[in-house]
Amino acid sequence: AQSVTQLDSHVSVSEGTPVLLRCNYSSSYSPSLFWYVQHPNKGLQLLLKYTSAATLVKGINGFEAEFKKSETSFHLTKPSAHMSDAAEYFCVVTPGNAGNMLTFGGGTRLMVKP
Amino acid sequence: SQTIHQWPATLVQPVGSPLSLECTVEGTSNPNLYWYRQAAGRGLQLLFYSVGIGQISSEVPQNLSASRPQDRQFILSSKKLLLSDSGFYLCAWRRTAGPLHFGNGTRLTVT
């Protein structure tokens, strides 16, 4: 069994300040983990992925995430928020044994204030 | 490179009318295909997935159905739409154990 918990449904930051979106997971297998971003009325875009290689993963648009097995976390960070980062973010886990099922977190809405 | 096409982008249909949403993938073969629905302000709900032609797994009992007539074509259908079918429908593909790649979605409003 697997599950994903995004600890904050809403996060508000000021432009130019750091972003932290938190994700905790549970998985019976060594997981693969992903972060997606969704702008209004758009599909989900892959930001980054962890697939058992380097634990610090760099993605697009300056985002990165660190896989911490001991804490079962995969938090998304960005040093400096931009107005265009305002969107919904989803953390996703899938079992690393090539299983077909992906589990989505409930999403975190990021708001960026000018 | 791989691309996914989903249409139409928006659709307004009356209650009781049929539905057909189409999704096609280019640049890869034998992808796993998925249909998700996203209600307003909520997360994603998996509706159907397919690991090959004619192979459909349903995750949620409802009045929707899916078909995969060709390797890279995935169709979501309904014979009679309900008000509760309104939502944002997303098609996606992936290689086994890889990330999902989403289409741009279809906004369905049932009136």
Side-chain angles (χ1 to χ4, degrees):
Chain A
Q2 58 189 21
S3 66
V4 179
T5 302
Q6 292 184 240
L7 298 164
D8 306 291
S9 60
H10 294 80
V11 170
S12 181
V13 301
S14 297
E15 190 175 21
T17 65
V19 175
L20 170 64
L21 305 183
R22 298 183 293 166
C23 172
N24 285 98
Y25 71 92
S26 67
S27 178
S28 302
Y29 304 93
S30 296
S32 293
L33 291 150
F34 313 101
W35 273 101
Y36 288 86
V37 61
Q38 184 182 30
H39 289 92
N41 293 310
K42 298 291 186 183
L44 280 72
Q45 180 185 18
L46 180 67
L47 278 176
L48 49 80
K49 59 183 178 181
Y50 166 78
T51 54
S52 76
T55 57
L56 182 62
V57 181
K58 294 188 183 298
I60 62 172
N61 301 336
F63 284 95
E64 63 181 38
E66 186 172 7
F67 174 73
K68 292 186 176 181
K69 185 175 180 179
S70 61
E71 299 177 10
T72 62
S73 69
F74 189 57
H75 301 336
L76 182 70
T77 61
K78 183 174 180 178
S80 176
H82 190 272
M83 295 298 292
S84 61
D85 295 326
E88 188 89 15
Y89 291 80
F90 293 95
C91 181
V92 181
V93 64
T94 188
N97 65 340
N100 257 321
M101 300 314 298
L102 303 99
T103 302
F104 281 74
T108 298
R109 181 163 298 277
L110 175 65
M111 294 167 283
V112 182
K113 298 174 289 186
Chain B
S1 64
Q2 302 90 3
T3 56
I4 179 169
H5 302 280
Q6 186 180 345
W7 68 93
T10 60
L11 191 60
V12 180
Q13 292 283 100
V15 169
S17 64
L19 173 73
S20 180
L21 302 181
E22 190 162 343
C23 171
T24 60
V25 180
E26 296 177 356
T28 187
S29 59
N30 197 30
N32 296 338
L33 296 171
Y34 300 76
W35 279 110
Y36 285 88
R37 178 169 60 197
Q38 189 176 31
R42 301 184 68 179
L44 277 78
Q45 177 188 34
L46 177 63
L47 301 176
F48 302 95
Y49 72 93
S50 170
V51 299
I53 295 174
Q55 301 178 60
I56 309 295
S57 297
S58 173
E59 291 298 306
V60 182
Q62 59 215 332
N63 69 321
L64 300 173
S65 62
S67 62
R68 185 170 177 174
Q70 300 181 44
D71 181 44
R72 290 168 289 175
Q73 183 184 28
F74 205 24
I75 298 172
L76 182 70
S77 303
S78 174
K79 293 182 179 179
K80 289 186 177 182
L81 284 169
L82 307 172
L83 284 174
S84 58
D85 292 323
S86 292
F88 193 50
Y89 289 81
L90 290 157
C91 181
W93 75 271
R94 69 189 289 245
R95 308 301 305 176
T96 301
L100 283 165
H101 303 277
F102 286 86
N104 285 329
T106 296
R107 171 72 59 192
L108 172 66
T109 303
V110 182
T111 60

